[in-house]
Amino acid sequence: MNADSSNKTYFHVDLDAFFASVEQRDHPEYKGKPVIIGGLPGDRRAVVSTASYEARKYGVHSAMPLSKAVELCPQAVFIRGNYKRYSEISHRIMSIFSNFSPVVIQMSIDEAFIDMTGTEKLFGPAESAALKIKKEILEQTGLTVSIGVSSSMYVAKIASGYKKPDGLTIIPPGDEEKFMLSLPLDKLWGAGSKTQAHLKEIGLTTIRDIHSKSLNLLISIFGQSAGSFLYNAVRGNKDYIFGTEAKSHSISTESTFEFDLTDRNSIEKALMELCWNLMWRLHKENLRSRTIMVKIRYEDFTTISVQESFTNPVSSSDDLYEKTMYLFNKKYDGSSGIRLLGICACNTESRDLPVQQNLFDFGEEKKARLEKAIYNLEEKNPSLKVRKARLLSD
DNA sequence: TCTGGGGTCCTAGGACCC
DNA sequence: TCTGGGGTCCTAGGACCC
């Protein structure tokens, strides 16, 4: 990233089997037992979200169809998941991190980078600082974490997965490349199944194999971006370029149906429900969007999308529904069943930004304000559930 | 064993403008 | 008369991550 990156010290902290560990902590009777989060046996079209280490011994892992997990480990404790609770605990842990450094980059609900550069005077060398963090989290939440330490965020990320659970792996400055070369190819974070298959196809089966190829060759095969990523990753050069915020955001919602939808009425109802949910989230985050995307996944799993940028931002759930139906009808030919529908508000921006008022129809603005007011009302009084009549009739 | 939901980033082609 | 070159925005699809 820059010339003095070798002086940097990054920690990557990863919560061990987070959701499952929370359940085991909340329910001591689950301790030592295989716990699988994601659904209950019999749930159609569910996948494993998290498997405890006890369940992993049976071959159960994240993203696996739940039916397969039931087959591999029928005696496991199955839980659909309490995501509100997980995110509360995640919040608490992230705030513990911020006691150790002002620069905490949260990557997801269960992992973060901490820039520990220059904290030696406060917390000692990397090892003792990492042990302090682990101790603090264990004492305050009863959970264990694995930590990777390196001058490169990319290497720190891989190091945190080197020893799990409750691991600590420190890669001293200068050893990044050596560490990367010691890893099996499938540990190359950022090269997923498609790239792994492609690499093997052309005879590159180890990280060392990739390392032996020139930048130009890799770019000619994998393209500019993926090629230079591979070249740098195997050298431990890769550093995240965190586009210091200000990037465009998207908010999306989707749902997979237990049984494929075929009739017009249930499709429209499903889309209306999605619009309602998405609009609520836009209100909540005080965002608006001009670009709407509709996603359709057919029974054979082929997935298509259609999007359009409109002159005016979406203002209300009625408006969103109108745009959604317009996009849906542009693509859907009615010939096959639908297993998933999704909608996305792409390139969102703050509602506080000025909008070109001359383009903003007054009636629409009124509707938007009304809806926002209803949203605020519901926020203050959650028992007040305002819902569209059509969504209630079932 | 049929494959969730919420995201980000990249690519390639086309439209449109100068 | 068979037509440049660059920039930007938009769209559809895909890879990847947790």
Side-chain angles (χ1 to χ4, degrees):
Chain A
M1 195 145 39
N2 50 38
D4 63 354
S5 70
S6 59
N7 301 325
K8 293 291 227 171
T9 305
Y10 290 107
F11 284 17
H12 181 263
V13 188
D14 206 317
L15 296 155
D16 299 320
F18 181 41
F19 300 166
S21 302
V22 170
E23 297 298 341
Q24 286 177 322
R25 190 205 61 175
D26 288 354
H27 307 272
E29 67 273 25
Y30 298 164
K31 283 221 170 92
K33 285 189 186 164
V35 173
I36 294 169
I37 314 295
L40 304 181
D43 282 358
R44 280 174 58 88
R45 296 180 170 173
V47 298
V48 175
S49 166
T50 313
S52 71
Y53 284 90
E54 296 84 353
R56 293 183 196 190
K57 286 187 197 139
Y58 294 86
V60 179
H61 57 80
S62 299
M64 171 183 279
L66 195 83
S67 54
K68 169 80 171 172
V70 173
E71 198 175 281
L72 289 172
C73 192
Q75 74 276 30
V77 177
F78 289 89
I79 299 167
R80 289 220 174 98
N82 181 357
Y83 296 92
K84 216 175 152 192
R85 171 142 185 79
Y86 307 150
S87 93
E88 274 167 23
I89 294 173
S90 167
H91 239 91
R92 262 190 11 237
I93 291 169
M94 296 297 155
S95 82
I96 294 175
F97 294 161
S98 56
N99 295 334
F100 286 85
S101 163
V103 186
V104 175
I105 305 162
Q106 184 171 352
M107 297 303 288
S108 70
I109 194 166
D110 67 350
E111 60 177 290
F113 288 100
I114 312 175
D115 184 348
M116 292 292 286
T117 310
T119 64
E120 292 81 5
K121 278 185 198 132
L122 282 168
F123 305 112
E127 186 177 356
S128 51
L131 292 173
K132 275 195 186 102
I133 292 176
K134 284 158 82 69
K135 183 164 171 268
E136 193 93 345
I137 291 171
L138 185 65
E139 280 173 1
Q140 293 198 31
T141 69
L143 300 173
T144 65
V145 299
S146 295
I147 301 183
V149 180
S150 170
S151 64
S152 142
M153 288 197 215
Y154 181 78
V155 174
K157 159 78 189 169
I158 294 187
S160 73
Y162 190 73
K163 237 185 87 200
K164 270 181 145 283
D166 202 14
L168 172 56
T169 304
I170 299 172
I171 310 302
D175 284 4
E176 297 85 358
E177 186 167 19
K178 198 174 82 188
F179 173 65
M180 290 306 301
L181 288 172
S182 76
L183 298 169
L185 182 58
D186 60 9
K187 294 282 180 200
L188 197 65
W189 187 79
S193 60
K194 301 282 175 180
T195 304
Q196 298 269 344
H198 195 176
L199 285 164
K200 281 176 190 143
E201 211 180 285
I202 59 173
L204 305 181
T205 58
T206 65
I207 288 188
R208 209 166 271 281
D209 288 341
I210 301 172
H211 190 269
S212 72
K213 302 302 174 200
S214 72
L215 176 60
N216 282 341
L217 182 77
L218 291 171
I219 287 176
S220 72
I221 298 170
F222 294 96
Q224 181 61 241
S225 169
S228 59
F229 161 74
L230 288 170
Y231 182 85
N232 286 299
V234 298
R235 284 167 177 74
N237 286 344
K238 182 77 185 92
D239 240 319
Y240 288 100
I241 314 292
F242 286 110
T244 34
E245 63 244 73
K247 271 274 173 187
S248 80
H249 259 287
S250 316
I251 295 189
S252 66
T253 184
E254 63 185 49
S255 109
T256 295
F257 309 108
E258 258 194 283
F259 299 95
D260 298 329
L261 302 187
T262 48
D263 70 293
R264 197 76 203 176
N265 196 51
S266 39
I267 290 169
E268 285 177 12
K269 200 171 152 188
L271 286 170
M272 186 174 279
E273 176 96 52
L274 290 170
C275 287
W276 194 254
N277 290 340
L278 188 67
M279 202 61 216
W280 237 224
R281 289 178 57 199
L282 286 170
H283 281 309
K284 189 170 181 175
E285 302 188 33
N286 199 36
L287 293 171
R288 63 168 181 244
S289 164
R290 290 178 47 236
T291 308
I292 302 302
M293 193 262 281
V294 172
K295 175 164 143 187
I296 307 169
R297 176 168 291 154
Y298 293 108
E299 46 200 341
D300 67 355
F301 220 74
T302 58
T303 307
I304 59 156
S305 67
V306 50
Q307 76 179 67
E308 198 168 310
S309 297
F310 300 93
T311 317
N312 292 333
V314 167
S315 55
S316 65
S317 51
D318 282 349
D319 182 29
L320 177 58
Y321 180 66
E322 208 173 285
K323 290 179 161 106
T324 296
M325 285 314 299
Y326 156 74
L327 290 170
F328 177 81
N329 289 327
K330 245 166 86 169
K331 275 279 174 175
Y332 186 58
D333 62 3
S335 65
S336 38
I338 295 174
R339 73 140 42 215
L340 171 148
L341 285 170
I343 51 175
C344 175
C346 314
N347 302 320
T348 59
E349 57 179 29
S350 168
R351 276 199 172 213
D352 300 332
L353 257 47
V355 75
Q356 285 186 276
Q357 281 297 335
N358 55 328
L359 292 174
F360 204 58
D361 172 73
F362 185 67
E364 278 305 315
E365 187 181 350
K366 241 173 99 177
K367 206 150 67 173
R369 287 193 185 176
L370 176 66
E371 193 165 290
K372 176 88 181 166
I374 294 173
Y375 169 75
N376 289 337
L377 205 67
E378 204 182 288
E379 270 288 281
K380 280 188 203 128
N381 187 354
S383 64
L384 237 178
K385 278 283 170 218
V386 190
R387 302 239 98 189
K388 290 273 172 199
R390 191 164 176 195
L391 297 176
L392 293 171
S393 62
D394 202 349

